[in-house]
Structure formats: structure tokens, C-alpha cells
Amino acid sequence: MTPPKTTPSKYLIELCGVTKLYQTEERLVQALAGVDLEVPPGQFLAIVGRSGCGKSTLLNLLGGLDKPSDGEVSVSGQNILTMSDKQLTNYRRFTVGIVFQFFNLLPLLSVLENAALPALLAGRKKDFAFQRAEELLINIGLEERLHQQASLLSGGEMQRVAVVRALINDPPLVLADEPTGNLDSKSAEAVLSALRELTSHGKTVVMVTHSREAAAIADLTREMRDGAFID
Ligand code: ADP
Ligand code: MG
């Protein structure tokens, strides 16, 4: 057997000198100004900071939704900057799951269909996708909502469906951008504990929040200001 060419890193996430510039009609915005970050697998990282400091930009880079202007974004040893479109699609499908502040469910589909969709898009058999979605939904306390239309759920229920959808393809990394920003405190607690639970299954979680209370459940917290970490 040929030995692997590179030594596997002890970090799941490695960012080095990451910058991101946006050119708007009026000006050039520097959203990220030299971000360095290392996160070992199985950790729960909370990123805090004021509105506009670059949190979502950073999360979008980690999610493969956008590319850095410069610097290295590496997840599971894969460098986002040098990926082809096909590699990026696979990365988004299998390496990361993303939970958004406004849930982004398809309102007319059922809970089960919403949760199973990324597995179907990834080419999984229908039976397999729906069975796995059902198991995860039951696990997260939504057994009575499986066949309900997503638009009829409460915010807390929608966000739990979004957590299941992020997990359906079993990614090692789960990203959450202000996942409790739109929830009452009881629903927020349920979503946070579902995210917390993921690390006991070896997953890495990166959550952006401006709630210090939400950040308190993380293993580590980093604060951003003006596009960089200040701690
Ligand atoms: P946060 O999530 O911390 O509120 P963002 O990452 O959304 O911050 O934004 C960081 C900075 O980049 C802000 O000044 C914002 O206005 C700017 N920005 C974000 N996205 C874009 C974009 N697509 N085009 C131009 N400017 C953007
Ligand atoms: Mg944001």
C-alpha cells in the first residue's frame, strides 16, 4: 500500500491570512482582514462580534458559498480556493451542513421532504434518504410533525428541521449563522442543545452569534472586530 502523501492535520479547520474584499458601486469593502483560525475536530466554536464585523462572510467561506480574495481556507485538508466547481459542489454536499438564521426551508414541502432533500440531491436512494431523515427528525423531537407542511411549523420547529437537513449527508462540519437569532428562549435552548449534542458524535460545530448567552455553550469563543479576531 502507498503511504499517504501528506500527514493529516490535527485540525479540521485551518484558516491562514484570509482576506475578503467586496467591490460595491461606491467603494471597496474589506469584510475580512487577515483571519487566522485553527479548530480541532469535535470542538464547538462560537464566533461573536458586532453586526458588520465579518462573521457571516467568514461562515460563507467555510461553507464553500464564496471564495476568499486571498489566504488559505482549508477544511478536512481540502483547500477551498483551489477547488473546481465540481469539487466545491461535493464539498457543500458532503463536508459541510449549514443552518441559517431564517431557516431557509421550502415552505410547501413537508418536514420529511425538507430534511431528506440534500440526500436526494446527492443521489441517495429515496428509501434511504427518507428513512434517515425520519430517524433524525424523531431524534430531535419532531416525530409528530413529519408529514406537516413546513410553513405551518413554529420557528423553533423550523430550525430543528434545518438542523436535521444540515446533518442528513453526515458532514464532519456543521455551520450555524445566528441560529437562535429569531427564536424565543425556550426554542433557542432546544436548538442549542441539538447543536451541542453533535460534538459528542465527533462533529465540529462553528456557530456565529451575537448572544453571549448562546456562545456560553461552546467549548471556545472567539471575538471578531473589523474583519479579524481580536483575541
Ligand atoms: P456580520 O455577519 O458580522 O454582520 P458580514 O460578514 O455580513 O458581517 O459583513 C461584513 C462587511 O462586509 C459589512 O461591512 C458588510 O456590509 C460587507 N458585505 C457583506 N456582504 C457583502 C456583499 N455581498 N457586498 C458588499 N459588501 C458586503
Ligand atoms: Mg451576519
Side-chain angles (χ1 to χ4, degrees):
M1 239 167 60
T2 10
K5 282 196 196 106
T6 50
T7 329
S9 166
K10 62 179 170 160
Y11 298 111
L12 184 88
I13 298 173
E14 290 183 284
L15 305 189
C16 188
V18 173
T19 64
K20 179 70 186 179
L21 302 168
Y22 292 111
Q23 180 68 61
T24 68
E25 273 174 32
E26 308 92 55
R27 61 196 188 106
L28 192 65
V29 181
Q30 181 155 41
L32 296 176
V35 173
D36 299 317
L37 178 70
E38 286 167 340
V39 187
Q43 291 278 298
F44 193 131
L45 168 70
I47 298 176
V48 298
R50 290 206 189 121
S51 185
C53 71
K55 304 182 299 299
S56 293
T57 302
L58 182 59
L59 219 65
N60 290 343
L61 296 184
L62 286 171
L65 301 174
D66 204 352
K67 288 190 170 186
S69 305
D70 199 8
E72 191 169 310
V73 177
S74 161
V75 177
S76 275
Q78 309 169 76
N79 186 347
I80 306 282
L81 196 57
T82 56
M83 280 184 203
S84 65
D85 286 350
K86 184 152 188 256
Q87 287 170 320
L88 212 47
T89 302
N90 278 328
Y91 174 83
R92 284 191 217 109
R93 268 181 193 159
F94 301 110
T95 306
V96 287
I98 310 184
V99 178
F100 300 94
Q101 180 176 357
F102 298 102
F103 327 127
N104 296 8
L105 300 181
L106 293 168
L108 299 181
L109 296 189
S110 73
V111 164
L112 203 51
E113 288 164 338
N114 266 284
L117 192 60
L120 298 171
L121 291 173
R124 295 297 201 173
K125 291 236 164 64
K126 213 173 157 186
D127 286 357
F128 175 91
F130 280 96
Q131 198 187 330
R132 179 164 161 79
E134 188 169 329
E135 279 167 20
L136 291 170
L137 288 164
I138 290 171
N139 229 341
I140 211 163
L142 291 170
E143 59 279 356
E144 280 165 22
R145 295 279 184 265
L146 300 179
H147 302 287
Q148 192 140 74
Q149 193 174 300
S151 63
L152 301 175
L153 302 177
S154 71
E157 289 170 334
M158 286 187 194
Q159 198 59 305
R160 280 184 283 154
V161 177
V163 170
V164 169
R165 180 185 56 187
L167 290 175
I168 194 83
N169 289 329
D170 203 20
L173 176 61
V174 174
L175 306 172
D177 195 349
E178 305 276 8
T180 60
N182 243 14
L183 303 181
D184 61 81
S185 59
K186 194 156 171 277
S187 303
E189 228 171 83
V191 167
L192 288 173
S193 74
L195 290 172
R196 178 71 259 187
E197 162 90 8
L198 298 180
T199 58
S200 58
H201 301 286
K203 300 209 182 287
T204 306
V205 180
V206 178
M207 174 177 74
V208 158
T209 179
H210 49 246
S211 152
R212 284 275 169 193
E213 216 177 356
I217 68 145
D219 297 310
L220 50 151
T221 301
R222 302 288 307 270
E223 184 172 355
M224 282 182 84
R225 189 179 296 161
D226 298 333
F229 288 115
I230 57 167
D231 51 359

